[in-house]
């Protein structure tokens, strides 16, 4: 659990960036958790995932209730989420995704979930989703893609593309923000 949570902590040393893992000790993690609600929520999410892995009964329900009540965040610890998951503001965010890659960022009040049918989005690595955006249906948001604030995304977004508006349209590929985490 520590290894994956450590990657989450890396996103909070300087918010939204990816800090050098050497900088992240348990003491640093504890200090950042005291300051940032988003990181505390992530701790309980990872704890829930650890509970599932260890077969501890009630891990799913308990984690979901805790995240909902304490942080206004809806996400199941059964959702596969890569390390370095950063949710700036948890309140009002609902996440029902098939899979979320590493180092994805969510700003606030985002909905990720089904559209008309029982199919859920996939977020590849390094995806950024702006405040209030909705990502709906069995679509894939490509690696490094950027979803603008308040966009409603109902089609696949190619890697490193920036999509804005309702319904979301691609405005460019390889913009400044999409390159932020590129190797
Ligand atoms: C999409 C975003 C990342 C900007 O990407 P960018 O590649 O730098 O794009 P630009 O700012 O150059 O804008 C390009 C065009 O898209 C439009 N645009 C940008 N963001 C938009 C949005 N969220 N919705 C609709 N149109 C948008 C701009 O008006 C501009 O249009 P124009 O070419 O007709 O003038 C940014 O606007 C955004 O939405 N960030 C989210 C920030 C956030 O969630 N903040 C909340 C903090 S609590």
């Amino acid at each position: 659990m520590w290894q994956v949570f450590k990657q989450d902590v890396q996103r909070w040393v300087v918010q939204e960036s990816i800090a050098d893992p050497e900088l992240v000790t348990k003491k640093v993690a504890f200090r950042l958790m005291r300051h940032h609600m988003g990181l505390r929520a992530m701790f309980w999410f990872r704890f829930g995932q650890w509970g599932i892995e260890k077969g501890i009964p009630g891990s799913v329900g308990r984690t979901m209730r805790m995240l909902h009540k304490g942080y206004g965040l809806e996400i199941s610890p059964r959702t596969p989420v890569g390390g370095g998951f950063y949710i700036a503001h948890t309140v009002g965010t609902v996440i029902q995704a098939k899979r979320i890659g590493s180092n994805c960022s969510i700003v606030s009040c985002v909905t990720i979930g089904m559209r008309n049918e029982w199919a859920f989005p996939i977020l590849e690595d390094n995806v950024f989703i702006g405040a209030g955006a909705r990502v709906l249906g069995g679509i894939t948001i490509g690696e490094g893609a950027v979803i603008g604030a308040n966009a409603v995304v109902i089609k696949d977004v190619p890697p490193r593309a920036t999509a804005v508006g309702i319904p979301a349209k691609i405005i460019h590929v390889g913009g400044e923000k999409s390159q932020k985490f590129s190797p």
Side-chain angles (χ1 to χ4, degrees):
M1 178 190 157
W2 168 242
Q3 282 314 317
V4 72
F5 181 62
K6 186 175 171 183
Q7 291 172 46
D8 300 329
V9 178
Q10 279 175 256
R11 306 296 314 280
W12 287 91
V13 174
V14 175
Q15 285 178 38
E16 214 198 301
S17 65
I18 305 173
D20 183 343
E22 301 272 303
L23 296 175
V24 179
T25 59
K26 288 186 177 157
K27 196 173 164 190
V28 167
F30 187 70
R31 181 171 53 76
L32 289 168
M33 275 172 68
R34 277 180 51 213
H35 289 285
H36 302 294
M37 191 166 153
L39 185 57
R40 286 201 294 279
M42 209 37 57
F43 172 82
W44 291 115
F45 174 72
R46 298 302 183 191
F47 187 66
Q49 290 192 320
W50 175 84
I52 294 169
E53 206 182 289
K54 298 287 168 206
I56 299 170
S59 291
V60 176
R62 219 176 12 250
T63 304
M64 287 186 74
R65 278 192 298 279
M66 150 96 79
L67 291 174
H68 190 248
K69 203 171 161 192
Y71 303 91
L73 170 67
E74 273 195 53
I75 184 170
S76 165
R78 284 201 195 283
T79 312
V81 179
F85 192 35
Y86 173 90
I87 306 178
H89 309 285
T90 54
V91 174
T93 292
V94 178
I95 301 171
Q96 282 185 294
K98 190 168 175 193
R99 175 165 57 78
I100 297 180
S102 304
N103 295 313
C104 288
S105 309
I106 285 180
V107 179
S108 65
C109 294
V110 164
T111 304
I112 299 172
M114 60 178 280
R115 192 179 162 201
N116 300 321
E117 290 161 8
W118 193 255
F120 298 90
I122 293 173
L123 272 53
E124 304 285 11
D125 297 344
N126 306 330
V127 167
F128 170 92
I129 304 186
R134 317 288 169 203
V135 179
L136 309 175
I139 59 174
T140 299
I141 310 299
E143 191 260 319
V146 174
I147 309 300
N150 284 329
V152 177
V153 188
I154 52 175
K155 288 188 180 150
D156 289 351
V157 176
R160 291 167 205 224
T162 298
V164 301
I166 304 174
K169 298 211 169 10
I170 311 300
I171 52 167
H172 51 230
V173 178
E176 200 183 306
K177 197 157 184 66
S178 67
Q179 286 172 7
K180 193 167 170 183
F181 303 121
S182 299

